[in-house]
Amino acid sequence: MSEVVHTFTTKVPRWRPYVTPVRLEEATEEQREAMKITPSNTKVSDYVLTLAHDPESLAVRSPLFNAIMYGDDGLSRAERELGAVGASVVNRCVYCAAVHASRYNQLAKAPEVIKAIFAAETKAELEPRNQAIFDFAVAVSNTPPEAAADHIAALREQGLTDLEQVDLILSAAIFGWANRLMHTLGEPVAT
């Protein structure tokens, strides 16, 4: 049996569900319809197959996730991934942190950012724009009232528009949900 991964890493572990995933070949028509749109519009993962037990929720969850993380306007994709990493570090979701840290590294081509975050976690010191984004995601993930006017002022000082600020809030917030789903439905294991 593979060991559970407890430390942050950019090597994406395998996610092992506690709940038996829906078997694709045995899925109902409603489950198949709900799985047509996956979180990254790629393969049907064990995570999606597990969520398919509730096809009504999955059918709205995946399009919402895709709109927040892959929208064409507003915050860059890399910066949305940085928000997701901030939330995942606070929530100790090793699997989500690995997936979105890897995506950040692919998009931003700046691996030193994730290296600093994984070394110091919420105390990471980054360049000013990334610092403002990361600090906001950490604050809103700790407890929403912690993300206060000074965090918004820091985002504005770094040139984030109102739309970009909302995109950041959405990316950090949806990972509050995604991290909890990942933690309660399964665990990250070494590949």
Side-chain angles (χ1 to χ4, degrees), residues 3 5 41 50 52 60 77 80 82 139 141 148 158 169 171 182 188:
E3 288 190 29
V5 178
N41 284 323
T50 301
V60 293
R77 284 217 29 223
R80 293 173 205 218
L82 186 57
S141 300
Q158 294 307 313
I169 293 166
S171 69
M182 281 286 181

Side-chain angles (χ1 to χ4, degrees), residues 71-99:
D72 292 332
D73 54 5
L75 200 62
S76 73
R77 284 217 29 223
E79 290 172 329
R80 293 173 205 218
E81 299 293 352
L82 186 57
V85 170
S88 298
V89 166
V90 169
N91 293 320
R92 308 291 312 162
C93 187
V94 169
Y95 182 84
C96 291
V99 168

Side-chain angles (χ1 to χ4, degrees), residues 76-134:
S76 73
R77 284 217 29 223
E79 290 172 329
R80 293 173 205 218
E81 299 293 352
L82 186 57
V85 170
S88 298
V89 166
V90 169
N91 293 320
R92 308 291 312 162
C93 187
V94 169
Y95 182 84
C96 291
V99 168
H100 296 281
S102 294
R103 286 190 186 149
Y104 177 86
N105 284 345
Q106 291 168 352
L107 294 163
K109 312 282 189 226
E112 67 277 7
V113 173
I114 296 301
K115 187 174 179 182
I117 291 170
F118 284 178
E121 300 187 7
T122 60
K123 305 288 186 214
E125 293 185 13
L126 309 171
E127 61 83 20
R129 184 174 171 99
N130 285 339
Q131 189 76 63
I133 291 169
F134 182 71

Side-chain angles (χ1 to χ4, degrees), residues 138-154:
V138 166
V140 78
S141 300
N142 278 333
T143 181
E146 191 175 302
D150 57 329
H151 289 99
I152 295 296

